[in-house]
Amino acid sequence: MNYKLDFVKHRKIWFLISAAVVLLSAASLLIQGLNLGIDFVSGTRVDINIGKAYDRQEANALLEKLGYADPNTRKAGSEDEMLIFRTSQVLQPDKVNEIRDTFRKEYGKQVGVNEQKVSPIVGRELARNAMISVAIASLGIILYVTIRFEYRFAVAAVLALLYDALFVICIFSLFRVEVDLVFIAAILTIVGYSVNDTIVIFDRIRENLKAYRPKSFEELSRTVNESIHQTLIRSINTALTVIFAAAALYFFGGESIRNFSLALLLGLFSGAYSSIFLASQVWVVWKWRSMERRRERLKANPAE
Amino acid sequence: MRVRKGRIVLFALLVVVIFSTVGFTSQSVWEDITLGLDLQGGFEVLYEAQPLEKGQDITSGVMANAAQAVSQRIDVLGVREPEISIEGENRLRVSLAGVKDPEKAREILGKPAVLTFRDPSGEEKLMRGADLVEGGAKQDFDQNGQPAVTVKFKDAKKFHQLTQEYIGQPMPIYLDDNQLSAPVINEPIPNGEAIISGNFTVEEAKELAELLNAGSLPVKLKEIHSNAVDASLGAKSLQESLVAGLYAIGFIFLFMIGYYRLPGLVAVITLVTYGYLVLLTFSLLGVTLTLPGIAAFILGLGVAVDANIIMYERIKDEIRLGKTVPSANRSGSRRSFLTIFDANVTTVIGAAVLFYFGTSGVRGFAVSLIVGIVVSFLTAVALSRFLMNLLVRSNLLKRPGWFGVKEDEIGEL
């Protein structure tokens, strides 16, 4: 079989790419962090009951005049007679009164204002909770894969999973895409898909390992290359179908799930990449090291 | 080899049964599914319970009582399927899908609604809401013809004594910390009935009566988070995700049939079954469908497609190795089984952990994912294998081309 692409031979390039992504995400997260949506930041929510139909652009202009640049507002109420305005500032009562007076001057005396401080603890707790859950889930996956395969496969699969989550978080941080609670669901979906994708390739490596019994690094990398090639069409076809599904959600799914589908799209792409270019490569290097060590031990102590 | 028509007939029969079941019942299954806030609009609020009086312990029993009292109040609002859950030690999450007026809901839910009759200084509490006859409050009119609320005390004797004691003095009536009225006791009241007036409209008096009947809250509920989704916005999200889902499914079906031919057709049948069974499970288990739930549904679909692809690629490999179609089908499905099994178990482990440690949104996602994976395993492995066996063993469809394998790819065994 002649290879179009020797995956293992170029492993240093893949490691370099993966390391660059990790470094970039670390830098981006440290320098500019994530663009946290309303679920994660404290602030004030002001419900302005205008009591009649109004134009949101005009209302926004009023708020901008008061010094709230690019206000985050939406219409609410059964007849769209309310304006909900959220800001990350914690507004003091005099500020709220200022808003009320401005709106009364514009829309009449019936305008009522109701302010409410928004606490981010719920969103933060959910995020923390999700992180802890992913950590425990990783341990569970490591345990299962160690029992069914071996621990090197397990750790490599979990590395790929964390990489995928990080990749998506990195892109969201780099391009300042807003992160909300649904983003967490997207990350969890990616984590689930990533493991699934990786295990299929590992399963083939394990099977071929039994058949070929590689002795040298060349043989070992040949085994891995062949396993990747044998599952390549499956990898491409599966990635194609799920990525298309995510793309359909992105383009036709509407505003409320656009960021979610974007995260999914990136994660599925990364999941397909990391199974071949990260997990398998980590495994081959690690496996070879321990094979060498074992051989040295045997040489030193032939009786073993 | 003899062609076994019986298997083809059975196959056709199964397909007809599956498609007609899906066609005729999916509408009613869909209508039975509870849609989450994000898909139909509504109001969700998370409360933290705080002691009503100093020194009060917030125990799990108190939380259960609070949840009970809140659920009776939701009846006042007339919401069909409220979700009330206790989270952690002192939090209460209330989801009211379909509520149109969040302000009203907020007002009714969060009020402790502790009615107290106090001494003239307003300091000492003489009688409490807990002393009222249950369900005894009703809207009425006072002697001036103003809307009012009448209540009845369980212990008429005690009330009688108190009215004797404070005769000629006001006995202020408070709802929580607000004084509603301060009627002056003109004569002792022997029958245990009191009338509360306080500049109510008929509507407000009715609402107060209902609130008193629903019972007061044993704790103070502090709102720490709320989320209101506009109904039109929710409906729009749902419709848009459904349209997007149809595009995605359409593409997957075309791709599977185009690339895998006969097995691709079987995959389409199993995927239709997958979608139907997941929705059926949601409706039977009473799972609320939310946007993260839809995400899990799609992931399950992806996993089901993947399982089909893994199996068919294996079968193609075996055909290329020179095996006959029936034997390639047999060994291909057998050899792919453990791969699919391991991949699915790892995903389920992840989902189970998320379910165990997660809260609300994360939990909903995990439930949907577990349902999705289990159903996808049943359909993409069991059903898919069964249908493939029927087709292949009928000895009618033996050409490798039916499996998307070209003749010149086949090697010698």
Side-chain angles (χ1 to χ4, degrees):
Chain A
M1 210 175 187
N2 55 353
Y3 297 118
K4 286 196 188 90
L5 186 57
D6 187 339
F7 293 101
V8 180
K9 189 176 160 195
H10 301 294
R11 65 186 178 282
K12 287 195 176 127
I13 300 176
W14 319 135
F15 284 144
L16 217 62
I17 294 175
S18 310
V21 169
V22 171
L23 278 180
L24 198 62
S25 17
S28 175
L29 281 176
L30 280 177
I31 295 164
Q32 51 182 5
L34 284 166
N35 176 11
L36 294 176
I38 48 172
D39 296 322
F40 300 106
V41 284
S42 64
T44 312
R45 173 181 142 157
V46 189
D47 295 359
I48 305 164
N49 188 354
I50 294 174
K52 59 182 183 193
Y54 67 97
D55 182 52
R56 197 165 72 95
Q57 300 300 333
E58 275 175 36
N60 281 356
L62 285 178
L63 289 168
E64 275 177 30
K65 229 180 269 168
L66 288 172
Y68 306 101
D70 196 14
N72 174 356
T73 60
R74 63 180 171 89
K75 285 191 168 191
S78 45
E79 270 132 31
D80 273 352
E81 78 286 4
M82 283 176 61
L83 178 74
I84 293 177
F85 165 49
R86 285 187 100 139
T87 164
S88 57
Q89 306 170 38
V90 178
L91 296 184
Q92 298 307 316
D94 58 322
K95 285 282 181 191
V96 178
N97 289 340
E98 191 184 65
I99 293 177
R100 189 192 59 201
D101 295 342
T102 309
F103 274 81
R104 280 198 176 157
K105 212 178 278 165
E106 181 73 26
Y107 294 104
K109 280 210 176 78
Q110 80 287 354
V111 171
V113 167
N114 196 354
E115 112 264 27
Q116 179 201 339
K117 299 207 170 46
V118 181
S119 124
I121 46 174
V122 177
R124 286 200 188 143
E125 265 176 29
L126 192 67
R128 206 193 52 186
N129 206 287
M131 273 192 272
I132 296 173
S133 305
V134 168
I136 299 171
S138 301
L139 287 179
I141 291 167
I142 289 182
L143 198 69
Y144 179 79
V145 178
T146 303
I147 293 169
R148 295 274 306 140
F149 294 69
E150 60 164 29
Y151 68 97
R152 291 181 203 90
F153 280 126
V155 175
V158 168
L159 268 181
L161 161 177
L162 297 177
Y163 171 86
D164 295 333
L166 199 63
F167 174 76
V168 178
I169 294 172
C170 166
I171 299 284
F172 269 60
S173 166
L174 265 183
F175 294 97
R176 312 294 297 148
V177 188
E178 194 176 293
V179 166
D180 55 11
L181 284 183
V182 189
F183 180 70
I184 295 177
I187 294 288
L188 298 176
T189 311
I190 292 160
V191 165
Y193 173 78
S194 170
V195 181
N196 202 295
D197 195 67
T198 310
I199 293 298
V200 173
I201 298 180
F202 280 1
D203 187 71
R204 190 58 78 98
I205 296 180
R206 177 178 63 166
E207 191 186 316
N208 287 338
L209 220 49
K210 276 187 207 145
Y212 300 148
R213 302 202 163 276
K215 295 281 183 292
S216 64
F217 185 74
E218 283 63 44
E219 283 170 15
L220 184 67
S221 54
R222 229 179 96 93
T223 310
V224 171
N225 264 333
E226 208 153 303
S227 308
I228 293 175
H229 272 275
Q230 283 168 358
T231 50
L232 196 59
I233 293 177
R234 166 265 165 186
S235 298
I236 293 171
N237 284 355
T238 299
L240 218 63
T241 47
V242 286
I243 285 177
F244 189 86
L249 280 182
Y250 180 76
F251 288 111
F252 307 107
E255 203 50 56
S256 52
I257 54 170
R258 181 144 299 154
N259 284 354
F260 169 79
S261 350
L262 178 66
L264 218 53
L265 203 59
L266 292 168
L268 296 174
F269 172 75
S270 170
Y273 163 86
S274 69
S275 300
I276 295 174
F277 297 99
L278 183 64
S280 305
Q281 311 301 333
V282 166
W283 182 84
V284 87
V285 172
W286 194 358
K287 179 73 180 176
W288 177 242
R289 286 229 177 116
S290 55
M291 278 169 73
E292 266 186 327
R293 223 172 295 144
R294 198 180 132 89
R295 193 171 309 154
E296 275 161 25
R297 229 184 16 239
L298 280 175
K299 229 183 262 173
N301 185 9
E304 196 184 302
Chain B
M1 249 186 288
R2 202 165 58 86
V3 170
R4 296 181 182 142
K5 286 209 188 93
R7 292 179 196 261
I8 294 288
V9 172
L10 186 56
F11 175 85
L13 212 63
L14 259 174
V15 172
V16 168
V17 167
I18 289 171
F19 277 97
S20 50
T21 311
V22 171
F24 287 118
T25 63
S26 56
Q27 176 96 25
S28 65
V29 169
W30 174 249
E31 277 162 10
D32 271 353
I33 291 178
T34 321
L35 294 177
L37 276 180
D38 43 3
L39 294 179
Q40 66 157 315
F43 179 61
E44 182 183 58
V45 57
L46 186 68
Y47 290 113
E48 190 174 87
Q50 294 178 335
L52 214 48
E53 282 160 23
K54 268 185 198 141
Q56 183 193 8
D57 271 347
I58 309 281
T59 60
S60 57
V62 171
M63 287 307 290
N65 286 340
Q68 178 64 30
V70 166
S71 93
Q72 277 167 359
R73 284 172 184 213
I74 294 170
D75 289 344
V76 176
L77 284 170
V79 173
R80 227 163 25 109
E81 290 177 68
E83 274 183 51
I84 305 167
S85 53
I86 298 171
E87 290 183 0
E89 281 168 8
N90 60 351
R91 295 218 180 132
L92 201 64
R93 182 184 294 274
V94 183
S95 299
L96 305 171
V99 157
K100 293 211 175 56
D101 188 353
E103 278 319 309
K104 171 105 178 275
R106 178 179 274 141
E107 198 177 298
I108 288 193
L109 288 180
K111 240 185 213 167
V114 176
L115 193 70
T116 44
F117 288 68
R118 305 188 183 187
D119 76 342
S121 71
E123 293 299 319
E124 197 192 340
K125 291 164 186 165
L126 304 171
M127 301 291 273
R128 299 155 184 279
D131 299 326
L132 294 173
V133 171
E134 271 166 51
K138 55 181 191 288
Q139 187 263 319
D140 209 334
F141 294 94
D142 64 10
Q143 62 270 33
N144 304 323
Q146 292 300 312
V149 176
T150 57
V151 292
K152 208 169 158 62
F153 284 104
K154 283 182 208 157
D155 192 347
K157 212 186 263 172
K158 186 179 168 196
F159 190 56
H160 190 198
Q161 277 168 8
L162 286 170
T163 49
Q164 279 173 330
E165 193 183 330
Y166 290 100
I167 198 152
Q169 297 181 53
M171 189 188 273
I173 303 169
Y174 281 73
L175 186 68
D176 301 329
D177 294 324
N178 298 325
Q179 184 179 326
L180 292 176
S181 62
V184 175
I185 311 282
N186 294 323
E187 52 192 87
I189 304 171
N191 63 357
E193 272 181 24
I195 187 153
I196 308 166
S197 48
N199 289 331
F200 300 126
T201 63
V202 175
E203 274 302 305
E204 284 166 350
K206 237 181 217 158
E207 207 176 282
L208 177 62
E210 278 175 352
L211 207 55
L212 291 175
N213 287 336
S216 59
L217 293 177
V219 287
K220 195 185 271 176
L221 291 180
K222 186 183 167 237
E223 184 178 320
I224 54 174
H225 180 84
S226 69
N227 179 21
V229 178
D230 210 52
S232 60
L233 206 71
K236 197 162 153 263
S237 300
L238 179 64
Q239 207 218 342
E240 283 171 338
S241 351
L242 285 180
V243 169
L246 283 181
Y247 277 111
I249 289 170
F251 169 81
I252 292 175
F253 285 4
L254 280 180
F255 176 82
M256 289 303 280
I257 294 177
Y259 197 92
Y260 291 102
R261 309 296 165 86
L262 185 69
L265 190 69
V266 172
V268 167
I269 298 166
T270 65
L271 290 175
V272 169
T273 317
Y274 162 83
Y276 178 76
L277 286 182
V278 169
L279 291 181
L280 188 66
T281 318
F282 280 179
S283 98
L284 291 180
L285 292 181
V287 176
T288 305
L289 191 66
T290 57
L291 278 178
I294 290 183
F297 179 85
I298 295 168
L299 179 59
L301 189 74
V303 169
V305 172
D306 189 42
N308 277 306
I309 289 180
I310 291 171
M311 189 162 109
Y312 303 153
E313 280 300 327
R314 260 288 147 111
I315 294 174
K316 280 170 83 171
D317 282 350
E318 306 280 328
I319 294 177
R320 287 198 195 100
L321 285 174
K323 287 190 183 169
T324 62
V325 166
S327 100
N329 177 49
R330 204 173 323 120
S331 61
S333 13
R334 206 193 55 234
R335 296 177 78 175
S336 61
F337 177 80
L338 269 185
T339 311
I340 299 168
F341 183 79
D342 280 334
N344 283 353
V345 168
T346 44
T347 311
V348 168
I349 288 176
V353 170
L354 291 181
F355 178 76
Y356 193 77
F357 293 99
T359 48
S360 62
V362 174
R363 210 162 228 224
F365 173 81
V367 173
S368 313
L369 186 56
I370 293 173
V371 170
I373 300 281
V374 171
V375 174
S376 95
F377 195 71
L378 286 178
T379 54
V381 176
L383 183 66
S384 191
R385 264 172 99 160
F386 182 66
L387 291 177
M388 284 295 291
N389 281 341
L390 281 182
L391 284 181
V392 169
R393 291 204 190 141
S394 69
N395 294 330
L396 193 67
L397 310 153
K398 294 182 296 198
R399 286 187 21 224
W402 287 100
F403 290 78
V405 178
K406 294 193 191 87
E407 295 283 348
D408 57 5
E409 288 176 340
I410 299 169
E412 288 299 316
L413 190 65

